[in-house]
Amino acid sequence: MYRNKVEICGVNTSELKTLTDEEKRELLRRSKTGDTAAREELIYGNLRLVLSIIQRFSGRRENVDDLFQVGCIGLIKAVDNFNVELDVKFSTYAVPMIIGEIRRYLRDNNSIRISRSVRDLAYRALQVREELTREREYEPSVDEIAKKLGEPRESVLRAMEAIVEPISLYEPVYNESGDSIYVMDQLSDTSAGDEHWLENIALRDAMNKLSERERRIIEMRFYRNKTQMEIAESIGISQAQVSRLEKGALERMRGQI
């Protein structure tokens, strides 16, 4: 979408400054005393964080300049509301604030029609989530939000899910050395069983021609219904490597059957 875009909202992203943790702490301290120059430097020094976050929303075909501006609003809120007394990294607090601001923007521009009562409950839930996040420095659970609202957990959960924009199973969620991991790669197939594989002799023969590692990945993925993350942890490689090996093994198996 905008991988090669250098200038966003008049900002040359290739020249964005990166602050150290010590610099951030000092600028936050000065900003809290009313130092506007420190506040401005802190905001500008974290624009790379905003840039990295809006990459997650590249599959939604939104205008990159709009997303960047909205993300900057979240960053400014994080700067102004961060509690310097707590032993928490600024980025830990800022990331959910920026993402929340972008999600709110996408929600308000969502063409899917939702009932007024459900939307109102969702808005109140999001407001409570932001309040609790500021107070506790972490994102609260649905149970905590529902308790604060005095509403049934199921109602709050349905309302919050109703305003989330649908995403494609083929939307990339992570990239490593050119290997992409998609939403569908995070899901396990609980409907598949050993019978579907063992009854197919041609498929079994194709399996036997795979390397030991490939065969193990295919067995864990489709025999035992494991996710790629679980497989990666089990055999000690990255999820991106599991994804690449799985895709290559399946392609060769298709060619042999």
Side-chain angles (χ1 to χ4, degrees):
M1 173 183 162
Y2 47 84
R3 186 173 298 171
N4 299 320
K5 187 177 178 70
V6 175
E7 187 169 295
I8 300 177
C9 296
V11 177
N12 189 333
T13 58
S14 65
E15 298 177 354
L16 289 177
K17 182 180 179 181
T18 300
L19 299 173
T20 65
D21 288 339
E22 291 74 15
E23 289 174 326
K24 289 178 184 178
R25 281 194 293 269
E26 175 60 21
L27 290 171
L28 281 165
R29 185 190 63 77
R30 288 166 49 194
S31 178
K32 293 300 179 181
T33 64
D35 188 332
T36 56
R39 178 176 178 270
E40 182 176 344
E41 183 178 353
L42 182 62
I43 293 170
Y44 189 80
N46 280 278
L47 291 182
R48 281 192 180 276
L49 180 61
V50 176
L51 186 64
S52 67
I53 291 174
I54 65 175
Q55 302 287 336
R56 306 182 186 185
F57 301 90
S58 60
R60 290 170 170 79
R61 299 180 182 178
E62 294 290 334
N63 184 282
V64 60
D65 292 331
D66 292 342
L67 289 182
F68 189 74
Q69 291 181 55
V70 173
C72 288
I73 293 174
L75 172 62
I76 292 171
K77 287 184 177 180
V79 169
D80 292 342
N81 292 287
F82 184 73
N83 187 345
V84 294
E85 301 299 326
L86 298 178
D87 186 22
V88 177
K89 281 189 174 182
F90 174 71
S91 58
T92 302
Y93 178 74
V95 167
M97 292 286 283
I98 296 169
I99 292 176
E101 199 68 31
I102 294 174
R103 284 177 176 169
R104 185 182 302 107
Y105 166 79
L106 294 174
R107 178 196 69 217
D108 292 342
N109 288 274
N110 195 344
S111 59
I112 299 176
R113 304 298 297 178
I114 303 171
S115 70
R116 180 63 180 271
S117 60
V118 172
R119 184 178 291 275
D120 287 346
L121 177 57
Y123 284 171
R124 290 194 289 123
L126 293 175
Q127 184 177 12
V128 167
R129 184 175 68 181
E130 286 194 12
E131 292 174 356
L132 294 177
T133 299
R134 286 196 298 269
E135 293 172 4
R136 307 177 185 184
E137 304 291 337
Y138 69 86
E139 189 166 324
S141 66
V142 176
D143 289 326
E144 292 172 314
I145 295 172
K147 183 178 180 181
K148 180 79 171 179
L149 287 170
E151 299 282 354
R153 179 187 184 278
E154 292 73 17
S155 298
V156 174
L157 181 60
R158 283 196 298 269
M160 295 180 71
E161 289 178 343
I163 62 173
V164 175
E165 183 180 0
I167 62 173
S168 168
L169 288 175
Y170 294 94
E171 179 174 349
V173 295
Y174 179 70
N175 282 279
E176 180 183 287
S177 302
D179 296 314
S180 295
I181 294 175
Y182 301 91
V183 171
M184 66 178 299
D185 294 330
Q186 309 295 309
L187 308 176
S188 61
D189 183 2
T190 58
S191 64
D194 295 357
E195 300 80 12
H196 299 293
W197 291 83
L198 297 178
E199 290 174 359
N200 192 322
I201 297 176
L203 184 58
R204 183 170 54 188
D205 290 342
M207 283 276 292
N208 290 334
K209 295 179 180 178
L210 298 177
S211 69
E212 182 178 351
R213 173 177 282 186
E214 289 173 331
R215 188 162 53 249
R216 185 179 179 188
I217 290 173
I218 295 299
E219 288 174 350
M220 294 180 71
R221 182 80 165 125
F222 299 101
Y223 283 14
R224 307 177 194 175
N225 305 318
K226 299 292 185 181
T227 66
Q228 289 185 346
M229 181 62 76
E230 291 170 331
I231 297 172
E233 293 176 353
S234 175
I235 64 179
I237 61 177
S238 71
Q239 185 179 354
Q241 289 176 296
V242 171
S243 178
R244 184 176 66 250
L245 289 169
E246 176 189 319
K247 288 179 174 64
L250 291 176
E251 283 298 322
R252 284 199 300 279
M253 290 172 67
R254 291 189 188 101
Q256 294 167 8
I257 296 175

